[in-house]
């Protein structure tokens, strides 16, 4: 069974640039959630994707957007990068089967640094 | 809106001693509760979860947690700590979205293990 993988591992960008982060979900999972973890803090929910549509969003501006593909992999896109976007971005996959008792399994994260 | 508080930012414990990490949550309905562990530079690993039923939950690596509805708490315990338990621990509450849970995390507790 393959776990959740993310790429790249590390990324350095400058203010105003755009970035795309990628996530492959665990085998058998159909839902992907993205979280932002700033240094010294707990992860914060960005949004969740199911059946290639956004289902649930946290308190993040529209310049944070995403995609989910037919194979359940996902991308997180951030436009007009700001210094405060520097963080560890975590992807989590889960199996939604019509109940709320799903469990999210996390990837290793992508460390984004904005200069 | 749901919230999670982990009152202890740092805890130092001697190897072989017992460990208890506190977690208090605020949520209007029956909570789904999770504990995750994060080693430096890594993603989150699920230790255990509570959905319903027995309020004492067993997890991996010898950890257990007890759900106390009257105290809105979900404290994590381990009877005898190993040096490899040094990490950051996050408590989370799950709020069902359209296709799975949105996790709200506490700020984390960093555990240091003394030889």
């Amino acid at each position: 069974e393959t776990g959740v993988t993310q790429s790249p591992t590390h990324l350095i960008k400058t203010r105003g640039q755009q970035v795309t982060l990628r996530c492959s979900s665990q085998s058998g999972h159909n839902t992907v959630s993205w979280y932002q973890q700033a240094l010294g803090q707990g992860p914060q929910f960005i949004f969740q994707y199911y059946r290639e549509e956004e289902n649930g969003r946290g308190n993040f501006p529209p310049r944070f957007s995403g995609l989910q593909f037919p194979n359940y992999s996902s991308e997180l896109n951030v436009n007009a990068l700001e210094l405060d976007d520097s963080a560890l971005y975590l992807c989590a996959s889960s199996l939604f089967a019509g109940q709320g008792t799903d469990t999210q399994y996390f990837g290793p994260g992508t460390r984004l640094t904005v200069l | 809106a749901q919230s999670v508080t982990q009152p202890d930012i740092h805890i130092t414990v001697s190897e072989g001693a017992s460990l208890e990490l506190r977690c208090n949550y605020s949520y209007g309905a029956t909570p789904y509760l999770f504990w995750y562990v994060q080693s430096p530079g890594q993603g989150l690993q699920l230790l255990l979860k509570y959905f319903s039923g027995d309020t004492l939950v067993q997890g991996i690596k010898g950890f257990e947690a007890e759900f106390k509805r009257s105290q809105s708490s979900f404290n994590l315990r381990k009877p005898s700590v190993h040096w490899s338990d040094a990490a950051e621990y996050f408590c989370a509450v799950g709020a069902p979205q359209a296709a799975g849970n949105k996790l709200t995390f506490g700020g984390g507790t960093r555990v240091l293990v003394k030889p």
Side-chain angles (χ1 to χ4, degrees), chain A residues 77-94:
Chain A
N77 298 290
V78 186
N79 294 321
L81 284 167
E82 301 176 359
L83 295 180
D84 285 349
D85 295 333
S86 295
L88 181 68
Y89 287 85
L90 295 164
C91 167
S93 75
S94 55

Side-chain angles (χ1 to χ4, degrees), chain B residues 41-110:
Chain B
Q42 310 248 340
L44 302 174
Q45 181 182 22
L46 178 70
L47 285 175
L48 48 78
K49 59 190 177 185
Y50 172 79
F51 291 151
S52 64
D54 192 346
T55 57
L56 186 61
V57 180
Q58 301 298 318
I60 63 171
K61 303 185 178 187
F63 285 93
E64 67 178 23
E66 186 171 13
F67 170 60
K68 293 186 177 180
R69 184 185 299 275
S70 61
Q71 298 177 18
S72 298
S73 69
F74 189 56
N75 294 348
L76 181 72
R77 298 192 293 254
K78 184 168 184 177
S80 178
V81 169
H82 186 261
W83 64 265
S84 60
D85 293 324
E88 187 142 27
Y89 293 79
F90 292 95
C91 179
V93 62
Q97 303 292 292
N101 279 310
K102 162 190 171 182
L103 296 181
T104 297
F105 287 87
T109 298
R110 182 168 297 279

